[in-house]
């Protein structure tokens, strides 16, 4: 038994191989790309799970025919590993109800999520949650060690698994280990609030490469590392692994910015199934059903307080109130995917959003013709695509967001350069989509201004609006998820070498 720098006890550490599996490419993420569903008659089925990480990684795993290690989305269930139709081996990790509450809802989503999103709500620091986080990270690392072939590449995903690189290095020094953080990395003065900051950081430092979305995230991380005994070299402005950090034990770690993107090929057709004509008819019908508004605003988000859904509704309400927008002429569609529903701050957010939807419709809608169309359910990819195509103006107004794939997905449906994007300057996507109508979501006047500029621009200056959309469309098409994954994986190879 040996102990890692994170204090996690590891049986059989330093024994290369051991019970090595035969997968040469392994991704490990908190969730599998599918959720296990129990039907009324007790049969178990699988359903694709929504979310940015799944959207980004599924095509990468399919291309490599790799193995995905993760939790199947239901507590106390341990289904057998199975291969998807597209050739990805799914290897479930069991989480108990206790793990779910303490590791997932607690430490991951009530401690780390708010801490890394610049304290939009106050993080809770609870010692038993930390213990659960360490235990579950050990379990994930042990599963990976059992499925990875000798010398395999393992790609660890996101904030729930930051101790996995350290544990895995002890268990399987033969592996090449990459880590990607899908959410922002906070400024050091915020990170330092974490009571377990040293263990957490050391868990990460055993990776060969750490990737963030943005250079600003890299800067925060490097600045934090300066306060430790690490040697730092390289140029921060070189996006892909411009920085090398050497730990006191001599381990070298690459650090770089790899802005994530979307599977553009999946966005190119109006629907995955059905003809173009059918898709157009369905779209027309949707528009008719909504009372044929001349401008449709659209929001698509997990129902999360970071996404700024309430503030966007309030901005819309004030524009209706002042007469700047005519309720007979506009509609706002808000799709809000259920998320982390048992956590208090999420319940409060949902209740505030739904109160605002009811109030706005009560004030401005006609019976049978809502001005805000709100849905708190997931929709299929086909239906989501239809909403993207229906919208005139996409509203993406998070207070803080690592990247935001919704913004890129909307742009990718605009081969004809139609429509406009209102985008928060605090979404990672704003670094690339500079031709969006950028706004500060903390400033309601600024948000209203961006919404109106987009609406007026489409009416008064369509040529200029087309140029803006075309430039964003090209940016997204030229920087797709394949490029993101291949840039990361080739930097990982180099870092290991
Ligand atoms: C995290 C980071 C980063 C949403 N509703 C439905 C649905 N979705 C899909 C969207 C999109 C994804 O979920 C959401 O991705 P985002 O990037 O917008 O946001 P997070 O879930 O917070 O993702 C984020 C991302 O990781 C990747 O690194 O960009 O900053 O927070 O793909 O299309 N898909 C379907 N039905 C829905 O109702 N089918």
């Amino acid at each position: 038994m040996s102990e890692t720098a994170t204090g996690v006890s590891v049986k059989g550490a330093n024994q290369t191989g051991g019970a090595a599996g035969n997968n040469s490419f392994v991704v490990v993420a908190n969730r599998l790309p599918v959720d296990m569903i129990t039907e009324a008659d007790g049969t178990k089925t699988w359903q694709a799970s929504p979310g940015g990480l799944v959207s980004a990684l599924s095509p990468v795993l399919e291309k490599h025919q790799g193995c995905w290690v993760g939790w199947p989305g239901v507590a106390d269930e341990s289904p057998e590993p199975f291969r998807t139709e597209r050739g990805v081996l799914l290897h479930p990790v069991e989480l108990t109800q206790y793990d779910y509450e303490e590791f997932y809802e607690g430490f991951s989503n009530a401690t780390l999520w708010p801490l890394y999103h610049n304290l939009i709500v106050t993080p809770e620091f609870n010692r038993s949650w930390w213990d659960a986080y360490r235990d579950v990270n050990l379990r994930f690392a042990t599963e990976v060690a059992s499925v990875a072939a000798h010398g395999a590449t393992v790609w660890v995903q996101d904030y729930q698994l930051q101790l996995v690189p350290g544990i895995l290095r002890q268990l399987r020094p033969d592996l090449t280990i990459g880590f990607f953080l899908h959410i922002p990395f906070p400024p050091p003065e915020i990170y330092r609030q974490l009571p377990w900051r040293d263990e957490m950081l050391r868990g990460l430092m055993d990776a060969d490469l750490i990737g963030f979305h943005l250079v600003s995230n890299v800067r925060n991380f490097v600045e934090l590392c300066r306060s430790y005994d690490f040697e730092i070299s390289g140029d921060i402005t070189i996006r892909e692994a411009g920085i090398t950090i050497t730990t006191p034990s001599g381990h070298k770690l690459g650090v770089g910015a790899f802005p994530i993107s979307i599977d553009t090929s999946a966005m190119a057709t109006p629907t995955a199934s059905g003809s173009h004509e059918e898709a157009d008819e369905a779209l027309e019908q949707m528009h008719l059903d909504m009372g044929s508004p001349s401008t449709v605003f659209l929001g698509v988000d997990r129902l999360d307080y970071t996404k700024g859904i309430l503030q966007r509704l309030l901005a819309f309400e004030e524009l209706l109130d002042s007469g700047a927008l005519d309720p007979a002429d506009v509609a706002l569609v808000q799709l809000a995917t259920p998320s982390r529903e048992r956590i208090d701050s999420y319940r409060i957010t949902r209740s505030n959003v739904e109160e605002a939807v009811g109030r706005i419709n009560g004030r401005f809608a006609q019976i049978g013709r809502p001005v805000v169309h709100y849905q708190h359910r997931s929709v299929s990819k086909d239906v989501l695509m239809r909403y993207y195509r229906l919208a005139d103006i996409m509203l993406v107004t998070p207070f803080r967001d690592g990247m935001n794939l919704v913004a890129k997905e909307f742009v990718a449906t605009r081969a004809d350069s139609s429509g406009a994007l209102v985008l928060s300057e605090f979404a990672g996507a704003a670094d690339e989509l500079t031709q969006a109508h950028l706004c500060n979501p903390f400033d309601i006047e600024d948000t209203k201004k961006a919404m109106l500029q987009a609406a007026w621009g489409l009416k008064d200056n369509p040529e200029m609006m087309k140029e803006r959309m075309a430039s964003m469309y090209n940016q997204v098409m030229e920087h797709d998820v394949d490029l993101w994954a291949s840039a990361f994986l080739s930097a990982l190879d180099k870092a290991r070498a």
Side-chain angles (χ1 to χ4, degrees):
M1 190 103 102
S2 90
E3 192 152 282
T4 68
T6 59
V8 180
S9 298
V10 174
K11 273 190 204 142
N14 284 320
Q15 290 166 11
T16 310
N22 55 7
N23 297 285
S24 57
F25 181 63
V26 181
V27 160
V28 52
N30 173 54
R31 289 287 283 269
L32 285 175
V34 288
D35 290 333
M36 195 170 150
I37 308 289
T38 306
E39 304 289 351
D41 64 0
T43 52
K44 314 263 189 211
T45 57
W46 295 96
Q47 195 177 67
S49 65
L53 189 147
V54 168
S55 306
L57 278 167
S58 297
V60 179
L61 260 290
E62 286 160 15
K63 192 172 160 195
H64 287 82
Q65 298 285 285
C67 171
W68 185 315
V69 176
W71 177 54
V74 185
D76 298 310
E77 290 278 359
S78 53
E80 288 301 308
F82 65 99
R83 209 167 273 282
T84 67
E85 282 169 7
R86 292 171 182 255
V88 178
L89 178 65
L90 301 185
H91 186 94
V93 177
E94 182 176 349
L95 292 190
T96 63
Q97 184 60 28
Y98 178 83
D99 297 329
Y100 179 74
E101 286 167 18
E102 305 263 313
F103 152 78
Y104 180 71
E105 294 185 322
F107 199 79
S108 298
N109 289 321
T111 305
L112 292 178
W113 180 268
L115 187 78
Y116 282 34
H117 284 88
N118 283 9
L119 316 177
I120 295 166
V121 305
T122 307
E124 289 177 54
F125 300 120
N126 176 319
R127 282 165 285 190
S128 78
W129 292 356
W130 164 247
D131 291 341
Y133 185 84
R134 294 201 315 182
D135 288 350
V136 172
N137 271 248
L138 173 60
R139 203 173 315 149
F140 272 92
T142 308
E143 293 290 343
V144 173
S146 75
V147 298
H150 183 78
T153 294
V154 177
W155 194 357
V156 185
Q157 307 293 324
D158 227 0
Y159 63 104
Q160 303 93 346
L161 301 180
Q162 290 177 85
L163 302 180
V164 167
I167 304 169
L168 207 48
R169 180 69 68 207
Q170 296 283 312
L171 287 171
R172 293 284 306 274
D174 59 301
L175 300 176
T176 297
I177 305 170
F179 179 90
F180 189 81
L181 187 71
H182 289 260
I183 64 175
F185 192 79
E189 62 274 20
I190 291 182
Y191 179 86
R192 283 196 198 102
Q193 289 186 7
L194 186 68
W196 309 278
R197 57 198 184 183
D198 297 349
E199 296 95 315
M200 186 69 95
L201 183 64
R202 292 205 180 99
L204 275 178
M205 299 307 286
D206 273 331
D208 294 295
L209 175 68
I210 299 183
F212 300 95
H213 288 303
L214 307 178
V215 169
S216 57
N217 303 147
V218 174
R219 190 169 290 121
N220 285 344
F221 184 76
V222 167
E223 215 179 291
L224 176 72
C225 286
R226 279 193 210 290
S227 59
Y228 287 77
D229 234 358
F230 304 141
E231 197 187 301
I232 298 161
S233 62
D235 180 352
I236 208 159
T237 59
I238 299 174
R239 273 203 159 179
E240 290 156 8
I243 294 286
T244 302
I245 300 181
T246 311
T247 65
S249 69
H251 174 70
K252 285 192 190 307
L253 159 78
V255 182
F258 303 86
I260 204 166
S261 194
I262 58 166
D263 181 7
T264 49
S265 61
M267 308 295 298
T269 48
T271 61
S273 55
S275 68
H276 284 239
E277 288 73 28
E278 279 166 355
D280 286 346
E281 274 168 31
L283 201 64
E284 216 161 286
Q285 191 57 49
M286 265 165 107
H287 194 240
L288 272 174
D289 291 346
M290 289 170 62
S292 303
S294 66
T295 306
V296 176
F297 292 87
L298 173 66
V300 175
D301 313 79
R302 274 187 312 98
L303 211 163
D304 193 302
Y305 53 81
T306 59
K307 303 287 183 183
I309 303 171
L310 175 65
Q311 282 63 22
R312 161 189 327 161
L313 286 167
L314 297 180
F316 185 64
E317 183 177 22
E318 287 197 10
L319 289 173
L320 294 172
D321 206 16
S322 68
L325 292 179
D326 177 358
D329 206 33
V330 299
L332 191 161
V333 178
Q334 177 63 56
L335 304 182
T337 313
S339 188
R340 305 171 194 169
E341 292 194 275
R342 293 164 15 123
I343 301 176
D344 281 348
S345 44
Y346 286 76
R347 282 199 198 137
I348 295 166
T349 303
R350 178 177 176 191
S351 138
N352 290 340
V353 162
E354 294 185 352
E355 185 189 319
V357 170
R359 188 183 59 245
I360 298 169
N361 278 331
R363 292 183 67 197
F364 299 105
Q366 303 291 328
I367 297 294
R369 192 195 177 296
V371 65
V372 179
H373 300 255
Y374 170 78
Q375 182 169 310
H376 183 244
R377 294 191 301 276
S378 257
V379 297
S380 70
K381 206 82 201 167
D382 276 3
V383 172
L384 180 59
M385 292 286 289
R386 220 174 280 156
Y387 279 108
Y388 283 144
R389 293 186 70 225
L390 176 76
D392 299 293
I393 300 172
M394 184 81 214
L395 301 177
V396 178
T397 57
F399 293 126
R400 194 98 182 102
D401 215 332
M403 176 55 67
N404 195 292
L405 296 181
V406 165
K408 292 188 172 183
E409 287 167 359
F410 170 72
V411 167
T413 63
R414 300 299 153 143
D416 62 357
S417 309
S418 64
L421 172 65
V422 171
L423 180 60
S424 160
E425 59 189 80
F426 301 112
D431 263 25
E432 291 169 82
L433 305 180
T434 52
Q435 292 300 303
H437 295 269
L438 294 175
C439 70
N440 171 4
F442 295 95
D443 177 351
I444 192 164
E445 290 302 332
D446 197 49
T447 309
K448 283 159 63 183
K449 196 167 99 192
M451 288 166 73
L452 278 185
Q453 273 176 355
W456 289 340
L458 289 176
K459 288 208 169 85
D460 302 338
N461 204 343
E463 282 318 307
M464 181 265 289
M465 296 296 279
K466 275 186 184 299
E467 277 171 31
R468 292 174 76 145
M469 186 55 80
S471 130
M472 294 193 283
Y473 180 80
N474 292 337
Q475 168 68 26
V476 172
M477 287 296 142
E478 285 161 18
H479 299 85
D480 66 358
V481 73
D482 262 355
L483 190 68
W484 167 74
S486 54
F488 184 91
L489 293 173
S490 76
L492 178 57
D493 271 353
K494 273 189 218 142
R496 179 64 168 173

